[in-house]
Amino acid sequence: MPALLRGAAVSLQLILPSAVLGFVCGVLAGSCRVYATPPVRWLADLYVAVFRGFPLLVQLYIWYFGMPRLGVYLTPYQAAVLGFTLCSGAYHSEYIRGALLSIKRGQILAAHAIGMSRLQTVVHIILPQAVRRALPGCGNEWIYLIKYSSLAYMVTCIELTGEGKIIASSTFKYTEVFAAVGFVYLLLVSLATGVLKALEKRLSLPGFEFHRI
């Protein structure tokens, strides 16, 4: 159990910065795909196409094993965080883009009518509403991030799954060890789900409630 808790701590060190940075990347990419000039929009579309199309494990291999061929050396932790951030950001951008497109154009016209610039309109009027609408989808991506952080051990970043593999290989108690690993992931996901529900409730406004079927 001490080894698994140590691995869980490393998993959290991977998940938290990747979740924040991935969300920021998603907001930037999603906004560019809707409001930027055509060249920037095409670059944002290319980013999303590449990082949603390449399997995450392949991306991690490229960052850790492939980049040294170009003279760039990343630690296992850096490669894992970079891979998780860019992949997660590509998915977040889809949620943000859809939320941005759902905002009625009349609000943009009204903002322009009172003298707000295009950037001011997006930052102060459109994005706050879009983030609220995209939160359930982005929350789902954060849950996925908790689970696919288990791929970090494939690039020698020993987190929860990596610690479990080491213990199971030395004790041959694969069922018991990975059941414990799965239980820890279940606790992390349950905790994240509770936080997201509280955040949705905190950010809800009249007319922007999160309806559940």
Side-chain angles (χ1 to χ4, degrees), residues 1-211:
M1 187 55 68
L4 293 181
L5 292 177
R6 183 170 62 248
V10 175
S11 292
L12 288 174
Q13 292 171 25
L14 292 168
I15 293 165
L16 294 177
S18 300
V20 174
L21 295 174
F23 181 72
V24 172
C25 286
V27 170
L28 292 175
S31 300
C32 288
R33 296 175 70 195
V34 176
Y35 296 115
T37 58
V40 177
R41 191 183 310 145
W42 296 333
L43 287 175
D45 287 338
L46 178 62
Y47 157 69
V48 173
V50 170
F51 287 95
R52 288 178 67 204
F54 276 50
L56 177 56
L57 184 57
V58 173
Q59 296 179 40
L60 294 178
Y61 282 159
I62 290 173
W63 294 126
Y64 186 63
F65 296 111
M67 294 305 289
R69 298 290 298 272
L70 302 177
V72 179
Y73 297 88
L74 300 176
T75 66
Y77 176 82
Q78 291 170 339
V81 170
L82 180 61
F84 295 153
T85 295
L86 293 176
C87 182
S88 181
Y91 284 95
H92 279 304
S93 74
E94 281 294 292
Y95 298 120
I96 297 297
R97 184 180 70 89
L100 289 170
L101 293 174
S102 72
I103 305 298
K104 293 182 179 180
R105 182 169 176 78
Q107 297 192 40
I108 299 176
L109 297 176
H112 289 170
I114 62 174
M116 296 183 72
S117 68
R118 185 182 182 88
L119 180 60
Q120 289 175 324
T121 301
V122 172
V123 172
H124 297 292
I125 303 297
I126 306 302
L127 266 181
Q129 299 179 63
V131 168
R132 284 188 175 92
R133 295 186 180 187
L135 185 58
C138 291
N140 196 47
E141 180 59 27
W142 286 322
I143 297 298
Y144 279 129
L145 178 61
I146 293 174
K147 294 187 287 186
Y148 58 57
S149 67
S150 61
L151 293 175
Y153 89 96
M154 298 297 291
V155 291
T156 72
C157 184
I158 306 303
E159 39 62 74
L160 178 57
T161 301
E163 291 285 3
K165 188 175 185 300
I166 293 171
I167 297 170
S169 298
S170 61
T171 62
F172 296 100
K173 296 182 178 180
Y174 287 91
T175 301
E176 296 91 333
V177 170
F178 283 108
V181 168
F183 182 72
V184 175
Y185 278 114
L186 178 61
L187 288 178
L188 292 176
V189 169
S190 300
L191 178 62
T193 301
V195 171
L196 288 168
K197 287 182 178 179
L199 186 60
E200 288 181 7
K201 185 176 181 181
R202 174 75 175 176
L203 294 179
S204 64
L205 292 172
F208 295 96
E209 293 85 357
F210 298 98
H211 298 291

